[in-house]
Amino acid sequence: MPWLRAGTVNVSNSSPAVSGVNVDFVTNVRVGDAFVGPDGRQYEVTNIASPDMLSITPTYQGATANDAAYSIMPVQGYPKALADAFNNLNVQYGSKLAALGPTGNFDVLPMSRGGTGSTDAASARLALGLGAVATDALVPVARGGTGGTTPATARSGLGLGSAAIAAVVGTVSQDKGIPTGAVIERGANANGEYVKFADGTLICTLYGRGGIAFNNPSNMGFNWTYPIPFVAPGFVIGNLVGVLGVARQVTSVGAYSRGLGFASICAFSLGQFVQGDEQMVSFDCFAIGRWF
């Protein structure tokens, strides 16, 4: 085993202290090694205080010297290489091995110690209660998954359809008969209120419509322009609001004609209407059909 001669040392007569320059005593010297001083004598190393400081016995016998040559002689038969290797291992892993504590006594680490209690993947999953689903690349609905790897396929697997991502209330729209917007749209303008549904249903209403026309003793009414036009109106009705229904022998109230954009709403009498009656009544109207 080679002797250590790197760097220089400072020694003082009758002192056990040896200080080094450009040395590493901690790595290269062990207690019990021989320190061969500048005086040529051999001393026993008794302590290594730091990389550049060690102690010897007996105290240094030669003359005080600075930046002097020296050498460290490994003791014959001393397993220095093995000791160095173990020291490095202890420095790197000693605290980690100590942290294992009693768990280091198990060939198979149980769950109570943070392990799986098993030596293979299948029994480990079983011990942890994971079941077969833990190995499924794609968890099907039958195993509590969605059966899809994208939002669209997951919704399809769960049977949610496109309505699952549509806003409940908003702007209703469609593309070639397929709803693409919200589920319900509600709005109003000067011609009344409307509600559009994603399935194509359209409902238009008008409340308290006054200012109607006196057409003749048998007929008075107005033309109602829908707030939203229909593509196919299905049903239109009007209701006369006021106290003239019996007094003027009103026979019916309704739409005697209708189109996609308007309906003629009238109240009919057995010739009993008189000029001025139109100022005493109003109409509530309702129409339902389709917007696509």
Side-chain angles (χ1 to χ4, degrees):
M1 184 175 294
W3 293 18
L4 176 66
R5 295 184 175 87
T8 59
V9 294
N10 300 323
V11 291
S12 299
N13 180 256
S14 300
S15 172
V18 177
S19 64
V21 179
N22 296 324
V23 297
D24 185 358
F25 292 148
V26 170
T27 300
N28 299 292
V29 183
R30 295 291 176 269
V31 172
D33 284 351
F35 172 74
V36 182
D39 61 353
R41 295 184 179 90
Q42 296 182 11
Y43 302 86
E44 180 185 354
V45 176
T46 59
N47 182 51
I48 302 169
S50 67
D52 57 3
M53 183 67 68
L54 58 76
S55 299
I56 59 174
T57 189
T59 59
Y60 187 66
Q61 302 297 303
T64 298
N66 294 316
D67 295 326
Y70 76 102
S71 61
I72 298 293
M73 180 180 67
V75 175
Q76 294 296 322
Y78 184 77
K80 183 176 184 298
L82 178 61
D84 288 347
F86 179 79
N87 183 63
N88 291 335
L89 183 66
N90 183 57
V91 169
Q92 185 172 2
Y93 296 107
S95 60
K96 297 180 177 63
L97 292 172
L100 290 176
T103 61
N105 300 325
F106 294 97
D107 292 330
V108 177
L109 196 61
M111 285 187 289
S112 62
R113 299 287 186 178
T116 66
S118 307
T119 57
D120 61 84
S123 56
R125 290 193 301 271
L126 180 63
L128 293 173
L130 295 178
V133 71
T135 61
D136 288 333
L138 180 63
V139 183
V141 177
R143 292 187 180 275
T146 65
T149 57
T150 65
T153 56
R155 290 192 300 271
S156 177
L158 295 173
L160 296 176
S162 59
I165 58 173
V168 175
V169 178
T171 301
V172 175
S173 57
Q174 59 88 25
D175 182 17
K176 299 179 179 63
I178 303 299
T180 57
V183 177
I184 302 172
E185 177 182 342
R186 187 181 185 92
N189 54 41
N191 296 321
E193 299 181 0
Y194 67 89
V195 180
K196 295 170 67 176
F197 295 90
D199 70 343
T201 301
L202 172 61
I203 298 175
C204 295
T205 56
L206 179 65
Y207 302 100
R209 171 64 157 82
I212 64 176
F214 178 84
N215 298 321
N216 54 63
S218 298
N219 182 331
M220 56 183 185
F222 72 103
N223 286 333
W224 175 32
T225 300
Y226 306 129
I228 295 290
F230 292 92
V231 295
F235 181 75
V236 183
I237 190 172
N239 179 51
L240 184 67
V241 181
V243 297
L244 296 180
V246 175
R248 299 294 191 247
Q249 297 183 357
V250 174
T251 59
S252 65
V253 180
Y256 73 86
S257 67
R258 64 183 183 183
L260 299 181
F262 78 97
S264 295
I265 308 297
C266 291
F268 299 94
S269 167
L270 295 176
Q272 302 299 312
F273 289 139
V274 297
Q275 194 76 40
D277 283 348
E278 74 276 9
Q279 303 299 320
M280 301 174 61
V281 296
S282 62
F283 282 91
D284 291 341
C285 304
F286 175 91
I288 185 170
R290 298 192 60 80
W291 63 274
F292 79 86

